[in-house]
């Protein structure tokens, strides 16, 4: 019976593969997880891969906003994320959430920038005595 | 003058003065004896009783006088004592009145001070309660204002913020973070 591969080692390996530019990483990961019956670990493994990519200069950032962001804004955010994480390459996973009202929320491994109007209103409500 | 002359002439005529005077010497002697007997009788039986009675009366009077004198002295002494007591009583009364007045004044001042302190405490408590009410009202107003501002902002901003404005907001936020 094959030895169970730890999630951390798997993530590290897959991060190296991604940085190397291999295209079938996702397919192989899916096959591996199905084969080893570890499908449930997928979100955790993805997160671990993202963490591993950070140390290799690649950052995957979650960007939530109330409107679809323009290319200029995306470039601005890319510069911001690179400055904050010293990453060479930034990938965005964007989503639109109208309840945020305005502004943007950027999540990178270990950091979060919440500049949404929803957050400002929440902070304002928190000043109630 | 005529009477004397007549009287002398009649005496010289009879040769007896007593007869001339109309005095019978027998009767005179008798009267003298009777008088002496009367004197003896009075001295023997009447005067001693009278004298005894008078002496007793005198003794009584003297005793009464002494008693009166003693009573007078006692009365004087009593009067003096009464005066003294009255003076002392007046002095005591004055002292008592003065003390009572002082105590009344002190009690009045104490009551006044107590009432003033109580009034001050009531006023202070009222001020404190008013202050608390004001602070509570301010807090309520503050919270209601925040809720109102938040609700209004949410409604207005949700419609007013366009994509461009949103980009501007994001640019400003990134600048602030940097």
């Amino acid at each position: 019976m094959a030895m169970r591969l730890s999630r951390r080692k798997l993530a590290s390996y897959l991060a190296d593969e991604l940085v190397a530019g291999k295209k079938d990483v996702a397919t192989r990961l899916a096959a591996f997880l199905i084969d080893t019956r570890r499908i449930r670990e997928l979100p955790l493994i993805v997160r671990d891969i993202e963490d591993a990519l950070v140390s290799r200069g690649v950052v995957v950032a979650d960007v939530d906003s109330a409107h679809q962001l323009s290319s200029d804004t995306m470039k601005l955010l890319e510069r911001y994320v690179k400055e904050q994480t010293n990453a060479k390459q930034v990938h965005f996973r964007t989503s639109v959430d109208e309840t945020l009202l305005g502004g943007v929320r950027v999540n990178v491994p270990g950091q979060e920038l919440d500049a949404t109007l929803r957050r400002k209103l929440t902070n304002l409500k928190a000043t109630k005595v | 003058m005529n009477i004397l002359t007549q009287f002398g002439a009649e005496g010289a005529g009879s040769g007896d003065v007593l007869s001339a005077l109309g005095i019978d010497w027998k009767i005179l002697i008798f009267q003298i004896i009777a008088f002496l007997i009367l004197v003896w009788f009075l001295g023997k039986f009447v005067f001693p009783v009278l004298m005894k009675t008078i002496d007793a009366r005198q003794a009584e009077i003297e005793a009464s006088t002494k008693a009166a004198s003693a009573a007078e002295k006692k009365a004087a002494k009593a009067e003096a004592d009464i005066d003294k007591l009255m003076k002392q009583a007046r002095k005591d009364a004055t002292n008592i009145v003065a003390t009572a007045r002082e105590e009344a004044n002190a009690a009045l001042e104490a009551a006044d001070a107590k009432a003033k302190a109580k009034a001050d405490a009531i006023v202070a408590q009222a001020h404190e309660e008013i202050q608390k009410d004001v602070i509570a009202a301010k807090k309520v107003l503050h919270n209601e204002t925040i809720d109102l501002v938040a609700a209004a902002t949410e409604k207005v901003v949700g419609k007013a913020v366009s994509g461009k404005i949103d980009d501007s907001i994001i640019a400003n936020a990134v600048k602030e973070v940097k």
Side-chain angles (χ1 to χ4, degrees):
Chain A
M1 187 178 172
M3 202 176 88
R4 182 184 168 91
L5 192 61
S6 76
R7 215 170 60 216
R8 190 177 297 275
K9 281 186 179 176
L10 181 63
S12 178
Y13 169 75
L14 292 172
D16 285 338
E17 293 286 295
L18 283 170
V19 171
K22 294 193 176 174
K23 302 289 182 187
D24 58 344
V25 174
T27 308
R28 285 195 287 146
L29 173 61
F32 175 77
L33 292 177
I34 291 167
D35 186 48
T36 55
R37 297 180 179 179
R38 293 169 66 181
I39 286 293
R40 288 181 181 177
E41 293 181 33
L42 179 61
L44 298 173
I45 290 170
V46 170
R47 195 190 67 189
D48 287 344
I49 291 169
E50 288 174 0
D51 289 344
L53 284 172
V54 171
S55 61
R56 289 161 180 78
V58 180
V59 169
V60 179
D62 289 309
V63 176
D64 303 319
S65 60
H67 302 89
Q68 196 67 41
L69 299 178
S70 66
S71 58
D72 289 341
T73 303
M74 293 305 293
K75 284 177 185 172
L76 180 70
L77 291 175
E78 186 179 351
R79 278 201 303 275
Y80 167 74
V81 172
K82 281 182 177 176
E83 284 172 13
Q84 295 297 313
T85 59
N86 294 320
K88 292 173 187 171
Q89 199 177 347
V90 178
H91 296 277
F92 288 111
R93 194 161 42 217
T94 60
S95 68
V96 174
D97 181 359
E98 288 182 355
T99 62
L100 297 178
L101 299 175
V104 69
R105 182 170 60 207
V106 181
N107 273 303
V108 294
Q111 289 183 54
E112 183 188 55
L113 167 67
D114 193 344
T116 60
L117 295 180
R118 167 64 55 199
R119 167 58 60 185
K120 288 182 194 294
L121 288 178
T122 304
N123 289 342
L124 177 66
K125 285 180 180 176
T127 62
K128 289 203 302 190
V129 289
Chain B
M1 194 69 175
N2 291 332
I3 292 169
L4 286 174
T5 310
Q6 189 181 358
F7 181 72
E10 282 182 4
S14 65
D16 192 355
V17 176
L18 289 174
S19 298
L21 289 173
I23 297 169
D24 185 356
W25 62 274
K26 288 177 185 174
I27 292 171
L28 180 64
I29 290 168
F30 178 75
Q31 284 179 340
I32 289 168
I33 290 167
F35 179 72
L36 288 174
I37 289 168
L38 181 64
V39 168
W40 174 81
F41 181 78
L42 289 174
K44 185 72 177 176
F45 297 105
V46 178
F47 289 152
V49 175
L50 287 175
M51 288 304 291
K52 195 177 177 182
T53 305
I54 289 167
D55 286 344
R57 182 67 182 159
Q58 190 174 0
E60 279 180 10
I61 290 168
E62 283 176 1
S64 297
T65 306
K66 281 182 182 177
S69 178
E72 194 175 355
K73 282 181 183 175
K74 275 187 181 177
K77 193 183 176 187
E79 195 174 353
D81 289 344
I82 287 167
D83 284 343
K84 196 177 174 183
L85 287 172
M86 286 298 287
K87 280 181 183 175
Q88 187 63 37
R90 282 195 195 97
K91 195 176 174 182
D92 290 345
T94 306
N95 287 337
I96 288 166
V97 168
T99 306
R101 196 170 288 162
E102 284 176 6
E103 284 178 358
N105 285 335
L108 196 64
E109 285 175 4
D112 193 26
K114 197 176 176 183
K116 197 177 177 183
K118 200 170 181 180
D120 288 345
I122 289 168
V123 170
Q125 192 178 355
H127 276 299
E128 196 177 336
E129 283 178 6
I130 289 168
Q131 198 65 30
K132 279 181 183 173
D133 288 345
V134 168
I135 289 169
K138 279 183 179 175
K139 281 181 182 176
V140 170
L141 185 64
H142 175 82
N143 292 343
E144 284 181 357
T145 305
I146 285 174
D147 283 338
L148 193 64
V149 168
T153 306
E154 200 171 324
K155 288 206 170 181
V156 172
V157 167
K159 293 175 183 173
V161 174
S162 63
K164 275 190 175 181
I165 296 172
D166 204 9
D167 288 340
S168 172
I169 291 170
I170 293 167
N172 286 332
V174 170
K175 266 185 190 176
E176 283 174 13
V177 172
K178 283 180 179 177

